[in-house]
Amino acid sequence: MNLPNKITLFRTILIPVFIIFLLIDMGGSISIINGRSIKLNTFIAALIFLFASITDFIDGYLARKYNLITNMGKFLDPLADKLLVGSAFIVMVELGMMHSWMVVVVIAREFAVTGLRLLAVEKGEVIPAGMLGKLKTVSQLLAIILILLGNPIFNMWHFELDYILLWISVILTILSGLEYFKNSIHVFK
């Protein structure tokens, strides 16, 4: 197993750690920008999520730079992303941080695209992530981090960048899902 794939597996291992910190109230809070405070456990969870998100970019960079792209990596990387984002979204719905219908749209798209990828694999194809899919992932990761941190900096100006990014990510989720199916219609023939 190469280094990028090991980093991807490490990201997957961080998911339950992130969830534990997000769900278990340790008491106490931490003051962030503009005198706002958030629960200490939420802050730690946000840092873990941020670190896990950064590993997504590191493993991709290393795989491309050192020509370590493998079919295993093409499968594991998007799976780790889906598990990380899906877990965060589900727990954040439980905590009242986002609307459940948005999460249903995201998860439904992920199941549909994963099903499409499985059909493609049966025909000997691996469908890599497209540009819209990558933008979707980045917008989801940024939205989650900003929501967890209480939209620091932008809250001073009453600019809800966290929820704007969440809406953008839902729109990109739909558009990228449609793009996958449009570009892979031959798989159904």
Side-chain angles (χ1 to χ4, degrees):
M1 180 179 299
N2 65 30
L3 181 60
N5 291 343
K6 287 178 182 175
I7 293 170
T8 300
L9 284 176
F10 179 68
R11 179 166 66 255
T12 305
I13 292 167
L14 286 175
I15 295 168
V17 177
F18 160 73
I19 291 170
I20 289 167
F21 273 100
L22 193 55
L23 288 175
I24 297 176
D25 189 350
M26 299 167 23
S29 62
I30 187 164
S31 210
I32 56 173
I33 298 169
N34 199 21
R36 293 186 52 135
S37 63
I38 59 173
K39 292 180 178 180
L40 180 60
N41 63 297
T42 304
F43 181 75
I44 294 170
L47 292 180
I48 293 168
F49 187 88
L50 176 62
F51 181 74
S53 300
I54 291 169
T55 67
D56 183 26
F57 298 101
I58 292 170
D59 64 15
Y61 171 78
L62 292 174
R64 287 185 298 278
K65 181 172 181 175
Y66 296 106
N67 197 24
L68 296 172
I69 297 170
T70 63
N71 283 342
M72 181 180 175
K74 288 180 187 177
F75 173 76
L76 282 180
D77 186 63
L79 179 62
D81 294 343
K82 287 170 183 31
L83 291 171
L84 179 64
V85 170
S87 299
F89 277 177
I90 290 167
V91 174
M92 290 169 78
V93 165
E94 180 180 337
L95 297 173
M97 296 177 163
M98 65 177 56
H99 300 291
S100 60
W101 71 266
M102 293 176 153
V103 177
V104 170
V105 167
V106 169
I107 291 176
R109 180 261 189 211
E110 299 305 346
F111 277 126
V113 169
T114 299
L116 176 65
R117 283 187 163 141
L118 289 173
L119 284 175
V121 165
E122 284 183 10
K123 296 189 178 217
E125 283 185 56
V126 175
I127 302 173
M131 184 51 70
L132 282 177
K134 290 178 182 182
L135 290 172
K136 169 213 54 122
T137 300
V138 169
S139 64
Q140 287 173 340
L141 298 175
L142 290 173
I144 290 167
I145 291 164
L146 286 175
I147 291 168
L148 289 174
L149 292 176
N151 198 35
I153 301 174
F154 302 100
N155 227 3
M156 292 187 306
W157 301 297
H158 305 289
F159 183 69
E160 295 185 359
L161 181 61
D162 50 355
Y163 288 102
I164 291 169
L165 280 171
L166 183 60
W167 274 94
I168 289 170
S169 75
V170 170
I171 292 166
L172 288 172
T173 294
I174 294 166
L175 293 177
S176 65
L178 292 172
E179 179 185 54
Y180 274 108
F181 279 89
K182 180 182 146 247
N183 293 339
S184 302
I185 197 74
H186 65 279
V187 171
F188 294 104
K189 294 181 181 176

